[in-house]
């Protein structure tokens, strides 16, 4: 048994080295593909696919990292080289990246002059403007005589008190979002908690919220018969769609997209995904090739068994296996230390307990800021942190069940402290230790789905894209394999524990 535990730790270290070597090697590969990023809403997914397919049609290797969170995460991704290009909007560039809130709009050449110190540039104006707006149900807007944002500000009494707001998280933080809007119009409302963009439309349709932030090219505005409130004070700038890229990237292969997408075309493509149920890739392919596609609407099983399942499962397993290898390599020695040195042990257990309470997205944000990159490494380290507590605590608890008399007898026979640990204590503590590894595994299989927000892939990609378009079947196509993977892991550990008990008997 002691040999098996030693072998497990050796293999864990070898697996970790192989994973990190693979990640590092890919960054320096001679034929590194151009990495296209996108934010986590429908339009950005579609445009990211259009960019990828446009590059590939010219024989240029490209890949699309979908749904990478908000502007701040994409900015880190560009700065670190994890992403080379992604669709962005001039208003966002001016106000969020350059900090020019309230400044008059500038030409593309002037924007690029300001972006140059960041080693970035904007190119390929796509041809449409997708501005922010506030939207309400048309019937409610008519009943309350609200046609503009100023009308909303003038509303008072019970009508104002009853209004419920469903803004996206990013809109509530951006300078050109709710903070600027509230100052410019004197809005006295409390917006409440944030919603995913796709879910906000569903909540509005069901009467769960009354006012949401919208994009003017959203297909759901016409479908739900919403009233877009007039921005009568001109707070929202123009948000002309462009491609934001690293300064070193040659935009020439993408210049054929210049001016090809007007407002109506973009709205129609959004509708094909959100209303007709087509995939981002299908809609993008039809635009790039110019040939209509008659692919039937996919059911749940088709989405579940889609060609990307193998890739996503492999990425998910790499994240879970790598983080567990790291956690076992560090967690077992920490558990031994905590049991051997009770005073220090209290601090060790308290520390791993505290880091376990950090929300997953917050921990990812901290790691991205510290490492200066997105993708596999920060996701791996976040999962490693979450796996520590059950392994450290169960190692500590398992060693505590070994009787002191047995240890004293072994020492009296001439065994060293290390030999007693390796040959007696760890084998006897193995069932408890194994239970801790099982708990860590199940936790990390579920938590690994958030890795999709930072471009690390995994089954969370399907969940994030489903949230973007409020598609339950797409979300379940990612959630079901993750749940099955957790069940298989739990059954595997139960089988290992049964075999261990049989061997001990």
């Amino acid at each position: 048994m002691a040999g098996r535990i030693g072998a497990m730790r050796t293999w864990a270290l070898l697996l970790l080295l192989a994973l990190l070597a693979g990640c590092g090697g890919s960054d320096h590969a001679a034929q590194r593909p151009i990495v296209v990023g996108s934010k986590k809403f429908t339009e950005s997914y579609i445009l990211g696919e259009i960019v990828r397919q446009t590059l590939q049609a010219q024989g240029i290797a490209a890949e699309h990292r979908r749904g990478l969170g908000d502007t701040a995460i994409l900015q880190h991704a560009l700065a670190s080289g994890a992403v080379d290009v992604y669709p962005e909007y001039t208003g966002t560039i001016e106000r969020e990246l350059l900090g020019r809130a309230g400044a008059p709009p500038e030409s593309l050449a002037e924007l690029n002059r300001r972006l140059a110190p960041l080693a970035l540039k904007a190119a390929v104006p796509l041809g449409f403007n997708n501005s922010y707006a506030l939207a309400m149900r048309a019937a409610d807007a008519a009943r309350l005589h609200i046609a503009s944002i100023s009308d909303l500000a003038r509303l008072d009494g019970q009508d104002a008190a009853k209004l419920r707001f469903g803004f996206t998280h990013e809109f509530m933080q951006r300078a050109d979002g709710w903070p600027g809007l509230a100052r410019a119009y004197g809005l006295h409302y409390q917006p409440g908690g944030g919603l995913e963009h796709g879910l906000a439309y569903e909540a509005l349709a069901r009467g769960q919220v009354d006012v949401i932030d919208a994009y003017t090219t959203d297909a759901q505005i016409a479908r739900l018969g919403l009233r877009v409130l007039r921005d009568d004070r001109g707070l929202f700038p123009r948000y002309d769609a462009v491609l934001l890229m690293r300064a070193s990237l040659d935009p020439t292969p993408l210049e054929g997209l210049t001016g090809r997408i007007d407002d109506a075309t973009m709205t129609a493509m959004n509708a094909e995904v959100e209303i007709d149920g087509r995939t981002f890739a299908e809609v993008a392919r039809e635009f790039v090739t110019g040939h209509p596609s008659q692919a039937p609407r996919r059911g749940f099983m088709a989405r579940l068994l889609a060609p990307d399942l193998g890739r996503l499962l492999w990425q998910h397993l790499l994240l879970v296996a790598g983080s567990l290898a790291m956690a076992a390599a560090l967690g077992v020695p920490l558990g031994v230390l905590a049991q051997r040195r009770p005073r220090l042990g209290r601090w060790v257990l308290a520390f791993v307990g505290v880091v376990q309470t950090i929300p997953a997205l917050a921990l990812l944000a901290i790691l991205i800021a510290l490492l200066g990159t997105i993708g596999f490494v920060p996701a791996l380290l976040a999962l490693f942190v979450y796996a520590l507590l059950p392994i450290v605590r169960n190692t500590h608890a398992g060693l505590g069940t070994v009787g002191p008399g047995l240890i004293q007898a072994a020492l009296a026979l001439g065994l060293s402290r290390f030999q007693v640990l390796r040959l007696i204590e760890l084998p006897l503590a193995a069932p408890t230790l194994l239970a801790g590894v099982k708990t860590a595994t199940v936790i990390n299989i579920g938590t690994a789905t958030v890795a999709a927000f930072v471009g690390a892939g995994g089954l969370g990609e399907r969940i994030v894209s489903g949230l973007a378009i409020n598609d339950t079947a797409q979300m379940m196509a990612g959630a079901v394999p993750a749940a099955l993977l957790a069940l298989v892991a739990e059954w595997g550990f139960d089988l290992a524990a049964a075999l261990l008990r049989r061997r001990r008997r």
Side-chain angles (χ1 to χ4, degrees):
M1 183 64 207
R4 186 179 294 111
I5 291 176
M8 287 172 60
R9 291 182 61 191
T10 301
W11 279 108
L13 290 171
L14 289 174
L15 175 61
L16 172 60
L17 290 173
L19 287 168
L20 294 179
C23 291
S26 65
D27 290 338
H28 303 286
Q31 298 299 322
R32 178 182 178 274
I34 293 176
V35 181
V36 182
S38 61
K39 296 183 181 180
K40 51 186 178 70
F41 62 94
T42 304
E43 185 166 291
S44 192
Y45 279 109
I46 295 171
L47 293 175
E49 274 298 305
I50 288 174
V51 172
R52 178 185 70 83
Q53 293 184 27
T54 299
L55 291 169
Q56 290 180 340
Q58 299 174 67
I60 301 171
E63 65 180 58
H64 181 194
R65 291 191 175 182
R66 307 189 303 179
L68 296 180
D70 58 14
T71 305
I73 290 178
L74 266 301
Q75 186 178 4
H76 275 294
L78 285 175
S80 67
V83 165
D84 298 302
V85 57
Y86 80 95
E88 190 51 281
Y89 305 89
T90 53
T92 300
I93 293 172
E94 288 180 350
R95 300 194 171 204
E96 293 301 304
L97 272 69
L98 299 176
R100 290 173 47 79
E106 296 183 322
S107 67
L108 203 58
E110 186 61 26
L111 274 184
N112 282 328
R113 186 184 68 79
R114 296 183 185 276
L115 287 170
L118 303 176
L120 302 176
K121 63 184 177 187
V124 193
L126 298 173
F128 71 94
N129 168 44
N130 183 12
S131 181
Y132 265 128
L134 295 188
M136 298 179 65
R137 289 180 295 274
D140 289 346
R143 177 175 57 83
L144 297 171
H145 307 291
I146 296 175
S148 67
I149 301 177
S150 289
D151 293 338
L152 185 67
R154 285 192 291 268
L155 197 66
D156 56 15
Q158 287 297 317
D159 289 332
K162 290 179 180 178
L163 282 183
R164 296 158 299 172
F165 292 78
F167 295 148
T168 59
H169 299 87
E170 186 172 8
F171 183 79
M172 290 197 295
Q173 301 299 323
R174 290 172 57 125
D176 55 347
W178 177 252
L181 199 68
R183 284 194 301 271
Y185 284 92
L187 295 169
H188 52 275
Y189 303 99
Q190 295 300 317
L195 286 173
E196 284 294 320
H197 188 65
L199 297 178
Y201 280 107
E202 186 71 17
L204 187 64
R206 293 181 176 180
Q208 295 170 326
V209 297
D210 303 302
V211 184
I212 65 171
D213 61 292
Y215 306 128
T216 52
T217 55
D218 282 348
Q220 298 285 2
I221 293 175
R223 175 177 176 264
L224 298 176
L226 304 181
R227 175 176 292 181
V228 175
L229 305 187
R230 189 173 70 257
D231 178 19
D232 49 311
R233 296 191 181 179
L235 174 75
F236 297 129
R238 284 189 63 85
Y239 291 83
D240 293 305
V242 295
L243 299 182
L244 185 64
M245 60 189 72
R246 292 168 60 82
S248 57
L249 185 67
D250 180 11
T252 304
L254 296 167
E255 286 178 351
L257 295 174
T258 301
R260 282 192 59 197
I261 308 174
D262 59 18
D263 291 20
T265 301
M266 192 67 250
T267 302
M269 287 195 288
N270 288 336
E272 288 184 66
V273 172
E274 295 180 354
I275 298 173
D276 299 337
R278 300 182 65 192
T279 68
F280 306 114
E282 288 169 355
V283 173
R285 188 179 306 113
E286 185 170 305
F287 174 84
V288 171
T289 64
H291 301 310
S293 171
Q294 299 299 325
R297 183 164 184 162
R298 300 182 306 162
F300 171 70
M301 290 305 298
R303 296 173 193 234
L304 179 65
L305 303 175
D308 65 350
L309 179 60
R311 173 181 64 85
L312 298 178
L313 271 174
W314 175 245
Q315 292 171 342
H316 209 90
L317 287 170
L318 279 181
L319 285 167
V320 173
S323 61
L324 287 173
M326 295 168 61
L330 180 63
V332 173
L334 280 178
V336 173
L337 178 65
Q339 202 274 335
R340 290 281 189 270
R341 302 282 187 270
R343 278 189 186 174
L344 181 59
R346 285 194 290 270
W347 288 101
V348 170
L349 292 172
F351 174 75
V352 295
V354 167
V355 296
Q356 181 84 7
T357 65
I358 302 174
L361 290 177
L363 182 58
L364 283 170
I366 292 169
L367 290 170
I368 289 170
L370 291 175
L371 299 173
T373 186
I374 66 167
F376 183 85
V377 174
L380 181 74
L381 291 177
L383 293 173
F384 153 69
V385 168
Y386 288 128
L388 272 178
L389 177 62
I391 294 176
V392 172
R393 182 168 287 173
N394 278 44
T395 301
H396 175 268
L399 293 174
T401 63
V402 181
L406 189 59
I407 296 172
Q408 292 301 322
L411 291 172
L413 290 173
L415 272 68
S416 67
R417 287 294 301 184
F418 179 72
Q419 287 174 320
V420 172
L421 174 67
R422 185 171 65 87
L423 300 174
I424 297 174
E425 292 181 275
L426 282 177
L428 290 175
T432 306
L433 195 159
L434 194 64
V437 176
K438 179 178 80 169
T439 301
T441 302
V442 174
I443 289 173
N444 275 13
I445 288 172
T447 308
T449 55
V450 303
F453 285 104
V454 295
L459 295 166
E461 275 194 14
R462 292 180 171 183
I463 298 173
V464 173
S465 63
L467 280 170
I469 58 176
N470 193 27
D471 188 331
T472 303
Q474 181 69 8
M475 288 185 275
M476 292 300 293
V480 168
L484 291 176
L485 194 59
L487 287 174
V488 169
E490 185 159 0
W491 291 336
F493 277 105
D494 288 344
L495 178 61
L499 293 174
L500 182 60
R501 288 194 298 270
R502 182 182 301 175
R503 184 177 180 84
R504 290 178 67 188
R505 284 200 298 268

